[in-house]
Amino acid sequence: MRDLAGGFGYLLAGQRWVFRHGRWLGFGLLPGLVSLVLYTGALIGLGYGADDLTAWATPFADGWSAPWLGLFRGFLTGLVFCLGLFLAVITFTAVTLLIGQPFYESLSEQVDRTEGGAVPESGLSLGRELWISARDSLKVLGRVALYGILLFALGFIPVVGQTVVPAIGFCVSGYFLTEELTAVALQRRRTELAERLVLLRSRRMLVLGFGVPLVLAFLVPLVAVFLMPGAVAGATLMARELLGEDDTADEAAAGPDAEGADGARPQQFEPQPQQSQPPAGGGFGPPPRM
């Protein structure tokens, strides 16, 4: 539970950071607006065509009597749209980060700079960074698609498919959404996708506490756009904890005397002032006893 709260705390901390640095909030909005236009058009098209798609995919049900045909295909149409929405939530971040790679990398560097410690740079060209980001995003998308197909199939199970499966879907979405966001900071540290996944698995509850509320918020398109800069900032803060950089920065700031040889913090002794007899008949306070 502490890690869940901690993940949500990083999400809030990222939003606070961008609102304290208003220039970076405006800086990070443009890629999200471009992605919003693209995804809105795609989802509108899916909404109009999902019923035709399910009718094409289920020709065996053409001869079914009412109301079973309508209920069956209506249920499938809903599942198709939910699957499309599920994929849109996951890929929205990847596409937005790809479009806004220079914007979000600069934002992440600024977060590192304001929080103290090193400000890592990948040293790669922009083209190389875009290629690595696109390649890793496709790998993540492949994993998400496998989970999506599995959850889509489980959605046919009565009751479970309408309760447990959507909850699992949000957790899967939140996990991989967090991976995409932390990748901005971790790629600058030359951390490969496999290593990033190991880091995230080591703190699953922290990751879900960050990602699941963000997925729920991203279901509202305009909210997704305005939360993206803060989400990148919060993911950078969380990446620093995952790598232990905050602890290192704290120890460095404390100086070499902060810890002893055995790792324990040494005791600090303050010299005690010497007691002196006040002069007789003078100074402040009561006169000395005779």
Side-chain angles (χ1 to χ4, degrees), residues 112 116-118 120 189 236 239-250:
D112 278 330
R189 292 156 168 83
T236 301
R240 290 166 60 91
E241 178 181 335
L242 291 172
L243 294 173
E245 291 181 4
D246 285 339
D247 294 339
T248 304
D250 291 343

Side-chain angles (χ1 to χ4, degrees), residues 66-201:
W68 305 114
L69 176 62
L71 289 174
F72 176 68
R73 285 184 172 168
F75 175 69
L76 287 183
T77 299
L79 281 180
V80 167
F81 189 79
C82 287
L83 178 60
L85 189 61
F86 171 79
L87 292 176
V89 169
I90 294 298
T91 58
F92 178 87
T93 302
V95 172
T96 304
L97 291 175
L98 192 61
I99 293 172
Q101 178 78 18
F103 298 87
Y104 294 131
E105 187 167 320
S106 298
L107 191 154
S108 180
E109 288 178 1
Q110 185 63 23
V111 172
D112 278 330
R113 192 170 290 112
T114 58
E115 293 301 309
V119 182
E121 295 182 4
S122 66
L124 302 175
S125 65
L126 177 60
R128 180 64 178 168
E129 288 180 349
L130 288 174
W131 162 249
I132 293 174
S133 180
R135 181 199 64 190
D136 290 349
S137 294
L138 286 175
K139 290 180 180 179
V140 170
L141 183 59
R143 295 168 184 258
V144 172
L146 290 176
Y147 279 109
I149 293 170
L150 177 61
L151 292 172
F152 180 78
L154 293 176
F156 290 97
I157 301 175
V159 181
V160 173
Q162 292 75 51
T163 54
V164 177
V165 171
I168 295 174
F170 281 120
C171 289
V172 171
S173 300
Y175 183 88
F176 286 108
L177 180 61
T178 304
E179 193 286 322
E180 292 284 355
L181 290 166
T182 53
V184 177
L186 294 176
Q187 281 180 3
R188 289 193 294 108
R189 292 156 168 83
R190 295 295 188 93
T191 308
E192 297 293 331
L193 175 61
E195 298 173 288
R196 298 200 300 267
L197 292 174
V198 170
L199 274 176
L200 296 180
R201 282 198 297 269

